[in-house]
Amino acid sequence: MDFVLLFPGQGSQKPGMGKDLYGAFPAAKDVFDAADAALGVPLSSLCFDGPADDLTLTHNAQPALLAHGAAVWAVVRDRLVTHTRAAAGHSLGEFTAYHAAGTLSLADALRLVRRRGELMYESGVRRPGAMAALLGDLKEPVESICARATAEAGLVSPANYNSPGQIVISGEEAGVERAMALAKEAGAKRAMRLNVSGAFHSALMESAADGLAEAVAKTSFTNPKFPVFANVSGEAVTTADRAKQLLLQQ
């Protein structure tokens, strides 16, 4: 049997994550202990015990989710790796996918996403925003809905085309709220705010780009052992240089 790995992004975090793995599997314990050492903070305690408000902060949620994904992979790796054909991840999860593919060491991946989270958090403080998921088929293109909401309330744009029935939008809070209302009028079954601390994958994050480019340049990347499908283009990435380019564009 062949496998493709898929790792989650922000919004998936919750207190208690990984605690059962930590207690049951030495390989998972090693990952969480290594994460604490790499970052110099008790990340494992934040994952296991919260509080939820602190765990949700993007500079905490990103390394927490990466550590959890890496711990799961450490537990199953020996049994699955020879049958793994590719990997992917939602936003932050793409970095976890590159770790699983051997492109990034655990310590490097954790430090890189911690910095990514700090930069995104700082961007969110400078330009506060929100994200929301639109569920169901829309009678009006989401691009048109966002354009109307931008003109009427505040900047908002499509961020994640997850499937025909699930699209995530991102931008200024007023714009997101207006787009949610317009989406319901256009037939959305549900429009729900996401548990994130900023308007990720929108123009509100542009100020994070230079700092992330600097962090990526200082981080060691190697060619992935199996392809990683990129969020930005959907392509199967097989080289370290292309991985860097697309992670920055993401």
Side-chain angles (χ1 to χ4, degrees):
M1 183 180 294
D2 292 339
F3 295 92
V4 175
L5 311 177
L6 180 63
F7 294 97
Q10 281 181 256
S12 303
Q13 72 281 344
K14 63 178 182 179
M17 56 186 281
K19 193 171 186 177
D20 53 347
L21 293 172
Y22 186 93
F25 300 101
K29 181 179 184 299
D30 289 345
V31 168
F32 279 107
D33 289 346
D36 291 349
L39 298 179
V41 297
L43 184 70
S44 57
S45 296
L46 187 60
C47 291
F48 302 159
D49 303 317
D53 287 347
D54 288 348
L55 182 59
T56 298
L57 294 174
T58 184
H59 54 287
N60 292 329
Q62 294 199 27
L65 285 165
L66 190 142
H68 183 270
V72 174
W73 178 237
V75 170
V76 301
R77 179 176 52 223
D78 290 347
R79 284 171 288 172
L80 298 189
V81 68
T82 58
H83 303 285
T84 299
R85 299 294 173 254
H90 293 112
S91 187
L92 173 278
E94 191 171 342
F95 288 79
T96 318
Y98 278 114
H99 164 66
T103 298
L104 291 165
S105 71
L106 177 62
D108 282 346
L110 285 162
R111 286 190 285 261
L112 182 57
V113 301
R114 176 74 166 190
R115 183 58 181 149
R116 180 179 184 260
E118 290 170 348
L119 291 162
M120 292 169 68
Y121 177 79
E122 291 164 4
S123 293
V125 170
R126 282 192 292 268
R127 298 189 68 185
M131 300 181 75
L134 309 180
L135 308 180
D137 295 330
L138 301 174
K139 300 173 184 176
E140 180 181 353
V142 68
E143 295 85 0
S144 175
I145 289 173
C146 287
R148 289 172 57 197
T150 295
E152 295 173 11
L155 178 66
V156 59
S157 61
N160 308 114
Y161 294 87
N162 291 335
S163 72
Q166 184 190 105
I167 299 174
V168 175
I169 58 175
S170 180
E172 295 173 336
E173 185 169 0
V176 169
E177 290 289 344
R178 181 58 181 149
M180 291 169 66
L182 291 173
K184 290 179 180 178
E185 293 175 8
K189 293 181 180 179
R190 191 177 179 191
M192 53 185 290
R193 289 277 293 267
L194 299 186
N195 186 25
V196 295
S197 59
F200 307 140
H201 305 296
S202 79
L204 275 65
M205 289 289 111
E206 286 179 349
S207 61
D210 289 345
L212 184 58
E214 182 180 344
V216 166
K218 294 178 179 178
T219 302
S220 176
F221 280 66
T222 60
N223 294 337
K225 296 176 182 176
F226 41 77
V228 174
F229 282 86
N231 284 195
V232 170
S233 63
E235 70 187 83
V237 179
T238 58
T239 69
D241 287 344
R242 189 59 176 153
K244 291 179 182 181
Q245 294 169 2
L246 291 171
L247 288 174
L248 287 172
Q249 289 180 32
Q250 186 223 80

